[in-house]
Amino acid sequence: MSPDADPAAPRTVFTGGTVYDGTTAAPSAADIAVQNGRIVEVGTGLDGDEQIDCTGRWISPGFFDSHVHVMFDGVDYLRMIGTPFSLNFYYAAVNLKNTLDAGITSVRDAGGADLGVKEAVRRGVIPGPRMQIAIGMLSQTGGHGDDWEACGVEIPLFPEHPGRPSTVVDGPEQVRHKVRELIRNGADVIKVATSGGVLSPRDDPRHAHFRDDEIAMMVTEAAAAGIFVMSHAQATDGIKAAIRNGVRSIEHGIYLDDEAIQMMLDAGAWLVPTLHAPRAVIAAAAAGASIPPASVDKAKMVAEAHLDSVRRAHQAGVKIAMGTDCGVGSHGTNLDELAFMMGAGLSSLDALHATTASAAELFGVADDRGRIAPGLRADLVVLDGPAGEVGAPGELRRRVRGVYQDGALVSTGTTARQLA
């Protein structure tokens, strides 16, 4: 128990449920005792001052999404151009609530949210998951984060403002300065694009971006501040460059070859697949969203290779953390990613582990949350349905019945109204 804990605080027991503990162990019947926001005991026949009846339900650690963008919800360029700048912050509050309603209690915002958004959640101004933020994504000129269009103007996905600087850089010294600026602005993680991407206008997902000396500089400066680097990396060579220079997680990982997979194993790096993202782009375009045809074509081009890469990485034993890229797709649909990962060969328990303890380790918070064990934070999700079973896309999120942070109920799982 923490030295600041109140020994007289009420002890709440979640009773009668089946517990999934965050590992790949099968769920089993158990009670969970919570006091001062922490799990204090897991077992059977536990007593307490208050009881929460979970009979017929199962309890999981709060879910993690390792890759979101809370400052927008669905890609539609004409709509984005017509949206007032400050309105996006209000939309972010809705997106965060929808994410929390889905049982996601911790997120890593991979670009867009600034320190003010994170602080609004931390201070209780708005409800939402615990946040780590990247603020922006380092991109070379002409790279995945360069918003220059062929007509000669820039149409930024995330407009610059005092809390979110431009992140287009070239050369190690520009990189050094920008990483330090992002850290000054509150970044918990540094994000880089070491390859082209699907939604950016003038690049190719199969091409590597940045050179080794530039990536090494990012990692060095991040390490000096005690944080990690995550890499948007779709191209094979871009993946290898990131791993070779100490990047902690590969986001997307669309074109993995056997050498890249072995490099990830040797380095202990994570794969954050985001299988959700290209599906969302294709579906949005089919529904009439304003998305450049080239981006839709790229989303279709990568789909088969993406699934195959995740399958082979999992079979080889690469560590996987769940991430969706929600923002590209709708917030609140995050748990659909687990079904997509199962389509790449993960079992239900593998997918759940990627969404709990494995992601907590990636975030660097495994000693605080991500498992159901004494001493850890009581971020919990209560769900209907077969314990530890993910089901088809859409099924798991519809079974969320209670979301708890520090043992306090913060959502009953009802998806918040999404603004048009």
Side-chain angles (χ1 to χ4, degrees), residues 292-356:
S295 292
V296 180
D297 290 344
K298 285 193 280 186
K300 293 175 179 177
M301 174 185 73
V302 303
E304 186 174 343
H306 196 184
L307 200 64
D308 182 60
S309 287
V310 177
R311 180 181 296 111
R312 290 186 295 105
H314 171 62
Q315 289 173 345
V318 170
K319 293 185 289 189
I320 293 177
M322 192 279 269
T324 60
D325 222 353
C326 275
V328 175
S330 294
H331 297 279
T333 64
N334 311 63
L335 295 185
D336 294 3
E337 178 74 12
L338 280 74
F340 299 148
M341 288 193 291
M342 288 175 62
L346 280 72
S347 68
S348 284
L349 289 178
D350 290 333
L352 287 166
H353 175 61
T355 313
T356 52

Side-chain angles (χ1 to χ4, degrees), residues 150-163:
C151 63
V153 302
E154 293 187 5
I155 304 177
L157 189 60
F158 302 119
E160 297 171 36
H161 65 79

Side-chain angles (χ1 to χ4, degrees), residues 229-319:
V229 178
M230 60 190 292
S231 178
H232 163 103
Q234 299 183 359
T236 308
D237 288 345
I239 293 167
K240 292 176 183 178
I243 297 302
R244 188 165 58 243
N245 289 287
V247 167
R248 185 171 174 86
S249 67
I250 297 299
E251 314 294 308
H252 316 305
I254 289 172
Y255 294 108
L256 287 167
D257 65 10
D258 291 342
E259 182 184 25
I261 289 171
Q262 187 60 51
M263 289 173 70
M264 294 185 73
L265 290 169
D266 292 344
W270 271 263
L271 174 63
V272 180
T274 70
L275 293 163
H276 195 289
R279 289 169 168 80
V281 172
I282 294 166
S290 174
I291 302 174
S295 292
V296 180
D297 290 344
K298 285 193 280 186
K300 293 175 179 177
M301 174 185 73
V302 303
E304 186 174 343
H306 196 184
L307 200 64
D308 182 60
S309 287
V310 177
R311 180 181 296 111
R312 290 186 295 105
H314 171 62
Q315 289 173 345
V318 170
K319 293 185 289 189

Side-chain angles (χ1 to χ4, degrees), residues 75-81 147-150 155 157 197-202 281-282 284-286 288-300:
V75 177
D76 186 317
Y77 284 92
L78 288 178
R79 186 190 70 202
M80 294 161 95
I81 291 169
D147 298 306
W148 186 89
E149 298 285 347
I155 304 177
L157 189 60
V198 167
L199 290 176
S200 41
R202 303 295 297 169
V281 172
I282 294 166
S290 174
I291 302 174
S295 292
V296 180
D297 290 344
K298 285 193 280 186
K300 293 175 179 177

Side-chain angles (χ1 to χ4, degrees), residues 49-241:
D49 304 294
E50 303 169 355
Q51 288 194 345
I52 297 173
D53 185 6
C54 298
T55 302
R57 292 175 171 169
W58 59 289
I59 310 168
S60 170
F63 297 127
F64 287 66
D65 190 329
S66 305
H67 192 126
V68 300
H69 299 280
V70 304
M71 293 299 292
F72 68 102
D73 188 53
V75 177
D76 186 317
Y77 284 92
L78 288 178
R79 186 190 70 202
M80 294 161 95
I81 291 169
T83 300
F85 169 75
S86 59
L87 183 57
N88 290 305
F89 289 86
Y90 295 91
Y91 281 141
V94 175
N95 297 336
L96 286 159
K97 180 62 167 64
N98 286 337
T99 303
L100 189 65
D101 288 339
I104 307 292
T105 57
S106 297
V107 298
R108 203 171 51 161
D109 188 276
D114 67 356
L115 184 58
V117 176
K118 177 185 173 181
E119 282 294 292
V121 174
R122 189 186 70 82
R123 299 184 190 193
V125 177
I126 57 174
R130 307 180 195 281
M131 296 183 72
Q132 292 186 358
I133 57 173
I135 299 178
M137 177 178 66
L138 298 176
S139 168
Q140 69 178 42
T141 297
H144 184 50
D146 187 342
D147 298 306
W148 186 89
E149 298 285 347
C151 63
V153 302
E154 293 187 5
I155 304 177
L157 189 60
F158 302 119
E160 297 171 36
H161 65 79
R164 189 170 61 218
S166 169
T167 46
V168 177
V169 290
D170 296 288
E173 289 309 313
Q174 285 190 13
V175 165
R176 185 198 300 274
H177 174 79
K178 191 57 62 175
V179 170
R180 291 178 177 180
E181 185 178 5
L182 288 168
I183 292 168
R184 181 188 69 185
N185 285 13
D188 302 297
V189 61
I190 298 300
K191 185 186 179 187
V192 57
T194 61
S195 81
V198 167
L199 290 176
S200 41
R202 303 295 297 169
D203 57 49
D204 189 315
R206 297 166 296 187
H207 293 167
H209 290 175
F210 284 117
R211 305 290 76 83
D212 280 34
D213 58 348
E214 296 168 306
I215 301 168
M217 180 67 80
M218 300 168 198
V219 174
T220 296
E221 290 297 325
I227 63 176
F228 302 114
V229 178
M230 60 190 292
S231 178
H232 163 103
Q234 299 183 359
T236 308
D237 288 345
I239 293 167
K240 292 176 183 178

